[in-house]
Amino acid sequence: MRGTPRALLKPFTETTGLARWMLVAGVLLTAVFVVFAVFAPWIAPYGFAQASSGGTPFPKLGHPSSQHWFGTDRLFFDVYSRVIWGARTALKVVVLSIVLCVLLGVPLGLASGYYGGWFDRFVVLVMDAMYAFPSFLLAIVFSFLLTNVYGGSVVAVSLSLTAVYIPQYFRVVRNTTLSAKEATYVEAARAIGASDGVIMRRYLLQNVIQSVPVLGTLNAADAILTLAGLGFLGLGIQSTDAAEWGHDLNRALADAGSGVWWTGLYPGLAIVLLVTGLTLVGEGLNETLNPTLRRRRLLPVVMPPRNVSTPAEEEQG
Amino acid sequence: MPTKPDTEAPDLLVDVRDLSVHFALRGGTLSRLFGRDSGTIRAVDGVNLSLRPGEVVGLVGESGSGKSTLGRALLGLVPATEGSIRLRDQDLAQLSRRRLRQIRRVVQMVFQDPNAALNPSMTVEEAVGDALRVHGMKSAAERRAGVVDALERVGLSPVELFLSKYPRDLSGGQKQRVVLARAIVLNPTLLVADEPVSMLDMSVRAKILQLMLDLKHDLDLTYVYITHDLATAKYFCDRVAIMYLGRVVEIGPTEEIFAHPRHPYTKALMAAIPEPDPDKMVPRDLPRGEIPDAAQPPLGCAFHPRCPEAVSGCGWESRDLRTLVEEHWLRETAAYDEERTVIGDLAHLDAPSTSATIGSGGSAQVRAILEGMKAEDPDEPLWSGVQSIEDAGSGVTVSFEPAPSPALRRAGGVEVACVLYPDEG
Ligand SMILES: Nc1ncnc2c1ncn2[C@@H]1O[C@H](COP(=O)(O)OP(=O)(O)O)[C@@H](O)[C@H]1O
Ligand code: SF4
Ligand SMILES: [Mg+2]
């Protein structure tokens, strides 16, 4: 299926103007955090739950210094290292939840839209109910339930985020499938003897997943905030399992009163910057996806200068 | 109602018997919720049709006459509501979905709009090769050989140039060739071509039709050729079946139908063929009225509201009376206000019935108006279908002669469904 990558890249390659600049800025900002996440062990000077180095314990709530650029927190951890490692946690959770959303939401939306009937009505009902639920509340409920099963792990948080965002993937794919399945080429596929599975996989899939990448980036920004929110409430990942910005902010709350600003500032800044980056990517893409916002790149019309001295042109004029 | 001579029976490729395909009309959400039936469309209504191997049979009729639905039923793409479709010795209605998909090796279809019939994200090779793939040809090399052969047959050469093209890179004619290639790559016996050239430019129509004739010759195909255009049917078909509102109204050898059109609808279609000689141009529109609503077809002969030759036994009914009264008012605007109060509301006549009660201003007055209308146009065939006019309250009940939908009967070398052609016996 050579068409699939091309179909997926289409929203990215078709941007123009302001949208393109938003996209470039967003991609750069996001790329920085992706680099942090991927190369965290090399970039971060210490581990995320490391309280001493070479036998020397770190200071508690130590000021930013040459050893600890962003200082240390009340658990003796190096704040700079935790910010870097936090990017890895954020990326893991977001990627895992979006992959789950796509792996579950796309086939479900495809089947629901294609078969219709009571199956469709049932799935739509469930998804609508999930969508109507305030999303943060839903995330809280799910992580509460899942923490009992999986502990405060990356998997548990990712699954809660999946529950929050899957209705959107389902909806988009189901609605595009509803219109795409009426196309003559679907009936033509049936006419050559294709089974329902083949029709969904080889004929409908490529034509209904085009909006998924945009949805993914838009949700990624939201997911970072939800993840931080869960961590802030203490429902997310525990400090010793992984570095998580929201949870660090929660602990920094107690420090703020005593003039310790570094434990809160840096994780907060990381959240703001990554969310901004992802939002810029998402909005930049959204502009190309949403036809009412889209502006085609127009070539400027250049009028030839009126040149009185060439009679040939005057005749044409 | 076996109408075909027994001699045709043995080597039939397809035998369609009393086939009906009805679609449930989707009402609003509310009526579906309460299970209210919002009616059915009889897209195909009691059709008999048989195909001998190697034959080209045309299905001709205006849009909405059920041609495509009949064609799709031949592939099992829509289920038969009643009747049977026998392909050689299998009844399509009896087959499982899996067996039905295998049937589609033998019966293939070409669609009207080549722009819509190809998946925009498949290359020509994938599109044509997928027909082989779904029927179990696993090897890509084998598939490519099959695809190359099919593309050569439909005249897309050099083939290498087309294999990796997407539909958007091709012209309409080329796309239709790809659709034809996909249809023949499985070596089918029967090809249903649903208006294969009507969406193409004039300049390529003849080429595609010629290609289809060549393919038929080379591959021993049998065609069902669907069109609303009698001119191409004349060029292309051995036999034609004229369809109107889901029924075959005339069927026979092409020369005979064109030389002596019998059914009034066939004659009207003939008149609609553009005449190359401007002096012989006839009015191109069909006689009065539009195609009736397929959900509530006219009683009796479905063509009677538009038929220029209609007689008493054609199935006159309440809706015709409403049309007649309203046409009368359109002409006689001066009389409208006064007569309107006498006749009253006409909306209830829309429920089809052979008896119609109208009038609220006194039986005698209503009678007088009806008499006046009759005097205005004594040739109007509706009046001949009136059996009686009886007083009913402050109005009258007009009873019409009930009539069944005419069956196909032999007339000359063809079969016609019209009361003007009673059985030759
Ligand atoms: N899938 C369907 N659902 C409901 N009605 C249909 C469907 N397909 C066709 N019809 C109706 O059946 C009638 C015949 O349609 P069709 O077979 O497409 O006619 P034609 O090909 O002669 O134009 C039309 O009134 C059409 O609206
Ligand atoms: S039965 Fe024949 S004459 Fe009567 S309306 Fe139909 S086509 Fe016309
Ligand atoms: Mg049609």
Side-chain angles (χ1 to χ4, degrees):
Chain A
M1 245 37 25
R2 262 165 288 171
T4 312
R6 192 202 290 239
L8 282 173
L9 277 179
K10 211 170 140 197
F12 291 88
T13 49
E14 277 199 349
T15 44
T16 58
L18 180 63
R20 170 147 286 184
W21 286 113
M22 283 163 66
L23 196 60
V24 169
V27 166
L28 285 179
L29 209 50
T30 311
V32 169
F33 281 92
V34 172
V35 169
F36 283 173
V38 173
F39 299 105
W42 293 276
I43 294 174
Y46 309 108
F48 55 82
Q50 190 176 343
S52 64
S53 169
T56 334
F58 294 160
K60 179 176 184 183
L61 292 174
H63 271 274
S65 66
S66 58
Q67 261 87 49
H68 305 287
W69 293 356
F70 294 175
T72 58
D73 63 13
R74 56 176 53 235
L75 292 176
F76 309 94
F77 299 153
D78 178 54
V79 174
Y80 176 60
S81 298
R82 282 190 73 82
V83 168
I84 304 289
W85 284 101
R88 174 171 269 208
T89 311
L91 194 77
K92 263 195 208 163
V93 169
V94 167
V95 167
L96 191 58
S97 66
I98 288 179
V99 165
L100 283 174
C101 276
V102 171
L103 285 186
L104 296 175
V106 170
L108 205 58
L110 202 54
S112 190
Y114 182 75
Y115 288 114
W118 64 264
F119 170 69
D120 179 48
R121 258 174 278 168
F122 174 73
V123 185
V124 167
L125 192 76
V126 172
M127 289 291 170
D128 277 357
M130 276 164 75
Y131 191 71
F133 216 73
S135 65
F136 194 58
L137 211 57
L138 192 69
I140 290 176
V141 170
F142 266 85
S143 53
F144 209 77
L145 295 174
L146 289 165
T147 312
N148 289 334
V149 186
Y150 293 103
S153 64
V154 167
V155 177
V157 177
S158 304
L159 281 174
S160 345
L161 292 184
T162 305
V164 172
Y165 299 110
I166 204 170
Q168 299 181 27
Y169 294 81
F170 169 79
R171 273 187 177 195
V172 159
V173 171
R174 173 182 175 270
N175 291 349
T176 5
T177 305
L178 276 188
S179 55
K181 76 168 178 178
E182 300 298 329
T184 310
Y185 67 80
V186 173
E187 170 145 72
R190 214 168 282 139
I192 59 173
S195 62
D196 291 339
V198 166
I199 290 175
M200 282 189 272
R201 261 182 290 127
R202 295 217 280 270
Y203 288 82
L204 289 173
L205 183 62
Q206 292 162 49
N207 298 301
V208 299
I209 52 167
Q210 287 181 11
S211 42
V212 166
V214 180
L215 201 55
T217 37
L218 281 176
N219 283 340
D222 207 63
I224 298 286
L225 285 177
T226 312
L227 169 67
L230 286 175
F232 190 79
L233 291 182
L235 284 166
I237 298 153
Q238 300 309 306
S239 298
T240 44
D241 289 344
E244 202 272 306
W245 300 328
H247 199 62
D248 289 0
L249 274 182
N250 171 301
R251 272 184 286 114
L253 211 56
D255 309 333
S258 50
V260 177
W261 48 267
W262 54 89
T263 51
L265 176 70
Y266 295 110
L269 213 55
I271 295 173
V272 169
L273 288 177
L274 181 52
V275 169
T276 308
L278 287 169
T279 308
L280 284 175
V281 177
E283 291 300 329
L285 292 180
N286 203 16
E287 189 146 328
T288 56
L289 191 81
N290 190 341
T292 52
L293 293 174
R294 177 163 22 190
R295 247 169 291 131
R296 291 238 169 256
R297 203 197 316 234
L298 285 179
L299 289 176
V301 179
V302 182
M303 301 298 287
R306 257 181 95 87
N307 194 340
V308 193
S309 64
T310 50
E313 270 190 22
E314 271 193 346
E315 269 169 37
Q316 284 169 3
Chain B
M1 191 192 61
T3 44
K4 274 154 283 293
D6 295 335
T7 50
E8 286 181 16
D11 59 337
L12 289 180
L13 175 64
V14 175
D15 194 14
V16 176
R17 291 269 153 194
D18 302 321
L19 177 72
S20 294
V21 179
H22 297 177
F23 293 111
L25 260 186
R26 285 272 169 81
T29 321
L30 264 185
S31 60
R32 246 184 297 159
L33 207 62
F34 294 117
R36 218 182 311 153
D37 186 16
S38 11
T40 52
I41 292 186
R42 296 155 174 254
V44 174
D45 198 15
V47 165
N48 288 285
L49 183 72
S50 51
L51 300 173
R52 284 176 293 254
E55 218 180 4
V56 180
V57 173
L59 300 180
V60 184
E62 286 163 290
S63 155
S65 50
K67 311 178 298 290
S68 298
T69 305
L70 177 53
R72 292 164 67 210
L74 292 177
L75 276 84
L77 289 172
V78 287
T81 312
E82 277 165 35
S84 67
I85 303 169
R86 296 194 75 78
L87 183 72
R88 288 254 161 76
D89 47 5
Q90 310 187 76
D91 185 348
L92 294 198
Q94 310 286 313
L95 296 180
S96 66
R97 284 167 66 88
R98 169 182 286 269
R99 298 277 296 117
L100 211 50
R101 282 197 277 118
Q102 279 157 10
I103 284 292
R104 295 178 193 148
R105 268 175 172 274
V106 184
V107 193
Q108 271 295 316
M109 186 149 179
V110 174
F111 295 86
Q112 178 171 14
D113 183 358
N115 304 308
L118 293 168
N119 184 348
S121 42
M122 273 187 176
T123 62
V124 169
E125 181 178 358
E126 286 167 338
V128 178
D130 210 47
L132 297 170
R133 192 166 162 195
V134 299
H135 287 285
M137 191 183 278
K138 296 234 160 48
S139 140
E142 259 182 81
R143 285 207 300 268
R144 172 174 284 228
V147 171
V148 167
D149 180 57
L151 290 181
E152 267 166 4
R153 283 193 187 277
V154 299
L156 284 177
S157 55
V159 172
E160 295 71 37
L161 215 61
F162 289 96
L163 282 177
S164 57
K165 286 247 160 70
Y166 284 91
R168 60 176 169 273
D169 306 325
L170 303 176
S171 71
Q174 288 170 335
K175 275 183 248 189
Q176 200 60 306
R177 284 173 197 263
V178 174
V179 173
L180 271 166
R182 178 174 62 187
I184 60 160
V185 75
L186 288 167
N187 252 321
T189 321
L190 174 65
L191 205 62
V192 177
D194 190 354
E195 314 213 18
V197 295
S198 68
M199 304 279 281
L200 300 178
D201 285 344
M202 275 299 172
S203 54
V204 292
R205 286 187 183 183
K207 285 191 202 145
I208 296 286
L209 286 179
Q210 188 54 50
L211 170 66
M212 288 179 63
L213 285 179
D214 294 345
L215 288 175
K216 170 183 148 43
H217 186 258
D218 294 347
L219 305 169
D220 288 328
L221 292 167
T222 306
Y223 278 133
V224 171
Y225 177 73
I226 296 174
T227 182
H228 61 261
D229 169 22
L230 268 177
T232 58
K234 185 177 182 180
Y235 168 75
F236 204 68
C237 303
D238 302 324
R239 280 195 300 146
V240 290
I242 311 286
M243 289 189 69
Y244 188 73
L245 280 185
R247 292 176 154 262
V248 172
V249 295
E250 181 163 5
I251 181 168
T254 309
E255 310 89 69
E256 180 62 20
I257 298 243
F258 278 83
H260 305 287
R262 288 177 171 81
H263 196 283
Y265 180 60
T266 314
K267 291 182 196 166
L269 282 179
M270 299 273 178
I273 301 182
E275 191 71 48
D277 177 358
D279 293 336
K280 284 181 19 196
M281 275 284 255
V282 277
R284 297 236 348 235
D285 13 41
L286 287 163
R288 61 179 186 179
E290 290 171 6
I291 309 174
D293 180 5
Q296 292 213 310
L299 301 183
C301 170
F303 187 55
H304 80 253
R306 305 169 73 194
C307 180
E309 300 176 37
V311 291
S312 61
C314 291
W316 298 99
E317 44 143 321
S318 52
R319 284 173 292 177
D320 303 318
L321 185 62
R322 176 178 185 173
T323 312
L324 202 68
V325 172
E326 283 173 350
E327 277 172 3
H328 160 73
W329 282 340
L330 277 179
R331 281 191 307 271
E332 313 285 324
T333 39
Y336 173 72
D337 288 333
E338 187 191 330
E339 293 188 4
R340 175 68 219 253
T341 48
V342 176
I343 300 267
D345 195 29
L346 292 173
H348 65 283
L349 294 182
D350 278 350
S353 165
T354 49
S355 86
T357 304
I358 55 167
S360 51
S363 310
Q365 285 91 325
V366 179
R367 262 176 207 279
I369 291 171
L370 291 180
E371 286 302 324
M373 284 167 55
K374 190 170 176 178
E376 216 177 89
D377 181 10
D379 295 334
E380 167 57 49
L382 176 136
W383 300 116
S384 67
V386 173
Q387 274 179 330
S388 65
I389 301 181
E390 277 153 22
D391 292 357
S394 54
V396 298
T397 297
V398 183
S399 302
F400 295 99
E401 188 179 319
S405 183
L408 275 176
R409 285 174 290 242
R410 301 223 130 250
V414 302
E415 290 171 63
V416 186
C418 170
V419 293
L420 300 179
Y421 300 89
D423 214 331
E424 285 177 344

